[in-house]
Amino acid sequence: MEETSRARDELDRLGRSLRRQLVVLINDLTVRVHLRRLSLDEPKVADRCEPPRYHYATVYQGNRPAAATAAETASRAAFLLRSAGWDVTESEEDDDGVLWRVVVAHQDGNAIRILTSDNTPAVSFRGQTPALALYPPKPVQQPEPVRTPEAITPGYVLCYECDGLGWCPGCGGRGWVLGQHHRRSRCRECGTTKVCPICRGAGQLNASSLSPYQRGYYPGLDRG
Ligand SMILES: [Zn+2]
Ligand SMILES: [Zn+2]
């Protein structure tokens, strides 16, 4: 399906801006820089909405220079980000006796989170763009019925549940339905088998093996 190119352009712009800022931070705050580890080449699926949304997201780990403390690194990171116009929040988190300096920054929906502690020379950088839909929602297409009234096998009747569709009438053969917040959820009628639970995909039922309940759907049968 054709990508909506404006959404892709916007996502790529945000991805480039995120990458630029991460490169500045990593070059300034860490030693032995390996920018190839910044995997920001292609957007990844962020969630399974319909349509699915994509974002650029990466994690990079580097080491502080030996002379720099965690506090100095965190405050330098906050300074660099503020100078570049990001909204910055600095905090400290105690995790089992390890004190982490945390710098979180936002700009244009992009987010960067930097973690550092005096217990390790490591500085970790996490960056992500907002998640955007790149494709228009798929139009709901009903599949062709597998059985029409004209093409029923002798001795059979058209399935009362799906009227010959064969595919699950609840989800139209997709195996999922749109739930809350446009998220895909399992079809309750077929549970991902995608076919009609009564005729199991045949579109027709053997008239001689109908239950009394099922015969109620075919009042004409008793007369014949
Ligand atoms: Zn059926
Ligand atoms: Zn279904």
Side-chain angles (χ1 to χ4, degrees), residues 45-126:
V45 174
D47 57 40
R48 283 259 155 236
C49 289
E50 177 53 37
R53 299 191 303 164
Y54 292 79
H55 66 177
Y56 286 96
T58 190
V59 176
Y60 179 94
Q61 193 145 5
N63 286 337
R64 294 193 301 270
T69 65
E72 286 163 354
T73 302
S75 82
R76 174 78 184 155
F79 168 77
L80 289 170
L81 285 158
R82 282 199 185 99
S83 307
W86 291 65
D87 288 327
V88 181
T89 312
E90 290 176 81
S91 59
E92 292 173 2
E93 282 175 18
D94 188 339
D95 181 17
D96 262 343
V98 178
L99 181 71
W100 291 96
R101 311 272 174 177
V102 186
V103 178
V104 176
H106 292 98
Q107 185 181 64
D108 282 351
N110 279 347
I112 291 178
R113 180 180 161 93
I114 300 166
L115 273 177
T116 182
S117 141
D118 282 322
N119 289 50
T120 158
V123 186
S124 90
F125 301 82
R126 186 180 287 273

Side-chain angles (χ1 to χ4, degrees), residues 168-177 187-195:
C168 169
C171 61
R174 288 181 299 179
W176 52 268
V177 292
C187 174
R188 284 180 201 205
E189 262 181 74
C190 68
T192 74
T193 67
K194 300 181 182 177
V195 295

